[in-house]
Amino acid sequence: MRVTVELDGHGLARVEMCRGAGNAIDLAMARALREAAEECEKARVRAVLLTGRGRSFCVGGDLKEFAALPEERLPRHLTDVTDALHVALRILAGLDAPLVVAVQGAVAGAGLGLVAAADVSLATTDAGFTAAYTAIGYTPDAGVSWSLPRLVGPRRAMDLLLTNRRVAAAEALGMGLVSRVVEPERLTEEATRTAAALARGATAAYGATRRLVDRALTAGLDEHLDAEARQLAVAAVSEEGREGVAAFVAGRSARFTGGEIKEAGADRSPPRFTRLGSE
């Protein structure tokens, strides 16, 4: 069992990497992450919480697996690994559901890509981040060369990708690589609380906001202002928009149902998870 997927009944999915040994990504792990993302998509979840069991979140690819392969098989194997991992990232990026990532210990390589893919990322005070790719003569995958410049800027991204220096949690927070830093004993509670609150929110509005922010990095100002205006007009007459304004006028909490999930906004109890089948 390399990845588990649990649902709480209110639209929150908790995806946990649980391979041990730093949750290094071998082919089976990459495929399990893809299957987990597919399960989240099929279940129409409203938020995803990604965690890694053990001392470290994810140390990147499984170099021992790679080194054990004959040279003629290695390129095909690496393509299979990245194909599966990249499908998982594409699916998670395409959901309306926000992605929350909880990070502890060592984060390297593709693990850095998983962190950078998050909408909200929480790290413990003892977490450390390194790109690691060029240190072994490899090049980035897991979207690292795309997401890192967008989070920390091109010059800082090049520094991290070329020098492979370790970035402590406080510096990662300062450069925008993570959203918050918490004490280790608070990570699970804080990350779960954050993800559960998002799962009770306006899911369609979250998805539209994710897409607006993503497109803003390549669109011109005039084009983007027009896109914002169009999207706001759509949101205002949506079920979520009508409920949100009605709740504000009435002085009550909004009850965003997220389609098939009923009265999710009214329940503030801690989430109770049910495990789904996943390799």
Side-chain angles (χ1 to χ4, degrees), residues 1-4 16-20 23-24 26-30 32-33 62 65 278-279:
M1 181 81 65
R2 283 168 165 77
V3 176
T4 62
E16 183 176 55
M17 298 178 287
C18 49
R19 188 182 174 212
N23 295 309
D26 60 359
L27 179 56
M29 169 77 96
L33 284 168
D62 187 343
E65 179 187 67
S278 182
E279 185 177 348

Side-chain angles (χ1 to χ4, degrees), residues 132-138 161-164:
Y133 293 103
T134 58
I136 59 168
Y138 277 29
L161 290 169
L162 297 183
T163 68
N164 301 295

Side-chain angles (χ1 to χ4, degrees), residues 150-229:
R150 287 164 168 77
L151 288 175
V152 306
R155 188 173 299 278
R156 191 171 277 157
M158 287 302 296
D159 173 31
L160 300 181
L161 290 169
L162 297 183
T163 68
N164 301 295
R165 67 181 181 86
R166 182 183 181 275
V167 174
E171 184 181 2
L173 177 64
M175 68 171 58
L177 180 57
V178 299
S179 309
R180 301 178 216 159
V181 174
V182 300
E183 294 298 326
E185 63 273 15
R186 292 184 53 226
L187 179 65
T188 298
E189 177 185 358
E190 189 73 14
T192 303
R193 183 183 64 80
T194 298
L198 289 170
R200 298 180 179 113
T203 309
Y206 290 155
T209 300
R210 296 179 90 199
R211 290 184 286 274
L212 281 169
V213 171
D214 180 49
R215 293 166 186 165
L217 297 171
T218 56
L221 177 60
D222 286 347
E223 176 188 352
H224 194 70
L225 290 173
D226 289 344
E228 282 189 337

Side-chain angles (χ1 to χ4, degrees), residues 23-42:
N23 295 309
I25 300 176
D26 60 359
L27 179 56
M29 169 77 96
R31 287 173 171 167
L33 284 168
R34 180 191 64 201
E35 291 166 6
E38 290 169 345
E39 289 178 10
C40 290
E41 182 179 41
K42 183 178 179 180

Side-chain angles (χ1 to χ4, degrees), residues 34-80:
R34 180 191 64 201
E35 291 166 6
E38 290 169 345
E39 289 178 10
C40 290
E41 182 179 41
K42 183 178 179 180
R44 299 177 64 185
V45 300
R46 300 177 64 187
V48 178
L49 173 59
L50 176 63
T51 67
R53 186 181 303 176
R55 294 178 59 185
S56 294
F57 172 72
C58 177
V59 298
D62 187 343
L63 300 186
K64 292 182 178 179
E65 179 187 67
F66 302 163
L69 290 168
E71 185 174 336
E72 63 274 12
R73 289 181 52 196
L74 183 57
R76 178 69 257 175
H77 182 82
L78 287 174
T79 299
D80 289 343

Side-chain angles (χ1 to χ4, degrees), residues 3-4 12-17 33 36 47-52 57 89 92 99-104 111 113-115 117-118 120 122 191 195:
V3 176
T4 62
L12 173 58
R14 181 171 63 191
V15 178
E16 183 176 55
M17 298 178 287
L33 284 168
V48 178
L49 173 59
L50 176 63
T51 67
F57 172 72
L89 288 168
L92 293 173
L99 174 63
V100 178
V101 175
V103 180
Q104 78 286 349
L114 295 174
V115 173
V120 180
L122 292 81

